[in-house]
């Protein structure tokens, strides 16, 4: 069996999805996602200029060897651009593998460990009451878990994933303002003073059963993160996400020394070497690495297994930061993983998105039910794809009040 061709498509409704389609001499094709927010053309070029020419003629069933060939053969390894390109190929080869076996991919991992995988929605508000309305909206839809992001009184501009005005909602992933990013201004002190009470009020309002998640989005220094994680303990969060940048994996020790608030890290990672210390020393409770930026199913499944040895659960980063194809791939891992935690799910299930990526996966009452179609259970409509093209865009950058560059 041989790979005879592969094509890359950039574009989609409101988002530059990067889709790879690999075709074989037996008519079976596979789909992969290489969507890297703000930098979509780069994994696409890596695929078109370097990887696809080397794919032609290979046996698609040799997915492990192909991954090793590209990873070790690159010499300059890792990084989100290369790993997103490798990831798309790996997802597509697993898709082909499942179709050849006439099985959904989760069967190739070891079968179902659950019938439905819990997801969390994104509630947001320009102020606390606006956020409470947003949370109520998702609770009424049956979500068991909700991420909450709130406007902070006196914050110079709206911060991460927070709308400027009441009732707006915020598609921070799709509200690209062109290639020159908008500048947000951040004030840590205002955040540290306000957010613990806001989270406590949310817990009071919605009771003990709602799983409440909050994303700090890399904004705090390790000491500040430790102070904050301790201050929010009464709110009993399901998780506190990205409290501090984790390039320095040791920085997380300070949080662990001061707080029992569950910690989730990893959406910006692209290799096991970005997070092995965090996992082996149990400095986190959830690993967020995504199959797209993490190099595909093959390496991410290894990270899931390592996490399972150390009481760390999965909490994969989710669409629409990457496409319904990676969401499908993660749905198979979510269905199988013995240490599954939760799946991020920002609904972009617009009719246009569903038309571009027809899928058999089903969302119901806050749970994803994985497709049992052979392969990944998602398709790609090339005719629909002709409606879209690449639109340069970038999410904001962040500065402190004195102009110091900070973390988005
Ligand atoms: C966010 C990300 O969903 C999340 O948890 O942290 O979506 C992040 O803002 C984007 O991927 C950045 O491009
Ligand atoms: Mg996040």
């Amino acid at each position: 069996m041989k790979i005879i061709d592969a094509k890359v498509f950039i574009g989609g409704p409101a988002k530059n999805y990067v889709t790879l389609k690999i075709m074989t001499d037996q008519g079976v094709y596979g789909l992969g996602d290489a969507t890297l927010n703000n930098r979509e053309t780069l994994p696409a070029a890596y695929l078109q200029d370097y990887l696809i020419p080397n794919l032609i003629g290979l046996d698609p069933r040799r997915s492990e060897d192909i991954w090793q060939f590209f990873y070790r053969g690159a010499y300059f390894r890792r990084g989100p651009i290369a790993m997103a390109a490798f990831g798309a190929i790996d997802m597509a080869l697993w898709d082909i593998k499942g179709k050849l076996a006439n099985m959904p991919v989760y069967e190739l991992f070891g079968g179902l460990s659950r019938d439905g995988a819990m997801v969390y929605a994104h509630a947001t508000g320009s102020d606390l009451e606006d956020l409470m309305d947003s949370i109520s909206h998702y609770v009424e839809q049956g979500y068991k878990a909700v991420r909450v992001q709130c406007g902070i009184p006196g914050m110079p501009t709206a911060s991460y994933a927070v709308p400027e005005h009441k009732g707006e909602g915020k598609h921070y992933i799709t509200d690209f303002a062109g290639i020159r990013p908008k500048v947000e201004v951040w004030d840590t002190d205002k955040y540290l003073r306000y957010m613990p009470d806001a989270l406590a009020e949310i817990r009071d309002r919605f009771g003990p059963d709602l799983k409440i998640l909050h994303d700090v989005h890399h904004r705090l220094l390790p000491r500040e993160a430790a102070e904050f994680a301790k201050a929010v303990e009464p709110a009993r969060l399901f998780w506190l996400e990205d409290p501090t940048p984790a390039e320095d994996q040791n920085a997380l020790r300070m949080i662990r020394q001061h707080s029992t608030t569950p910690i989730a890290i990893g959406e910006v990672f692209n290799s096991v070497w970005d997070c092995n210390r965090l996992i082996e020393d149990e400095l986190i409770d959830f690993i967020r690495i995504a199959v797209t930026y993490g190099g595909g199913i093959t390496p991410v499944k290894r990270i899931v297994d390592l996490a399972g040895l150390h009481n760390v659960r999965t909490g994969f980063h989710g669409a629409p930061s990457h496409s319904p194809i990676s969401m499908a791939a993660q749905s198979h891992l979510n269905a199988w993983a013995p240490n599954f935690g939760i799946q991020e799910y920002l609904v972009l299930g617009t009719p246009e998105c569903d038309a571009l990526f027809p899928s058999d996966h089903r969302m119901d009452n806050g749970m994803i039910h994985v497709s049992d179609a052979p392969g990944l259970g998602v398709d790609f409509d090339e005719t629909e794809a002709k409606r879209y093209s690449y639109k340069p865009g970038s999410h904001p950058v962040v500065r402190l009040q004195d102009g110091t560059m900070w973390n988005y």
Side-chain angles (χ1 to χ4, degrees), residues 37 122 147 160 172-173 215 217 241 267 288 317 321 344 395 408:
N37 282 346
H122 281 207
R147 188 190 79 172
Y160 163 66
Y172 55 92
I173 291 292
D215 192 347
H217 220 261
E241 179 181 340
E267 68 182 53
R288 301 249 303 130
H317 185 224
S321 288
E344 178 172 15
H395 45 46
Y408 170 64

Side-chain angles (χ1 to χ4, degrees), residues 15 36-38 120 122 147 149 160-161 172-173 176 214-219 239 241-242 267-268 288 293 315-322 344-346 394-396 408:
K15 178 107 180 77
L36 180 60
N37 282 346
N38 296 325
Y120 69 90
H122 281 207
R147 188 190 79 172
Q149 305 298 130
Y160 163 66
Y172 55 92
I173 291 292
F176 286 176
H214 178 63
D215 192 347
V216 186
H217 220 261
H218 320 280
R219 301 288 168 94
W239 84 29
E241 179 181 340
D242 285 331
E267 68 182 53
V268 297
R288 301 249 303 130
Y293 319 132
F316 292 131
H317 185 224
S321 288
H322 22 95
E344 178 172 15
Y345 186 77
L346 178 64
S394 175
H395 45 46
Y408 170 64

Side-chain angles (χ1 to χ4, degrees), residues 35-53:
T35 304
L36 180 60
N37 282 346
N38 296 325
R39 304 291 185 271
E40 296 86 355
T41 57
L42 301 181
Y46 201 118
L47 284 160
Q48 282 159 334
D49 299 350
Y50 298 97
L51 304 184
I52 289 174

Side-chain angles (χ1 to χ4, degrees), residues 53-125:
N54 284 288
L55 269 177
I56 308 304
L58 297 186
D59 182 338
R61 295 168 296 187
R62 297 192 176 202
S63 52
E64 181 70 54
D65 183 62
I66 288 171
W67 198 90
Q68 298 293 336
F69 172 78
F70 286 133
Y71 180 75
R72 295 171 185 275
Y75 187 75
F76 297 101
R77 301 174 175 186
R78 297 167 60 180
I81 295 166
M83 296 296 263
F86 301 162
I89 291 170
D90 189 71
M91 276 179 250
L93 297 182
W94 276 99
D95 193 16
I96 289 167
K97 207 182 285 294
K99 289 172 180 173
L100 291 174
N102 195 28
M103 285 184 186
V105 168
Y106 64 75
E107 292 291 14
L108 307 179
F109 300 160
L112 292 177
S113 300
R114 55 197 59 77
D115 292 324
M118 180 172 62
V119 302
Y120 69 90
H122 281 207
T124 185

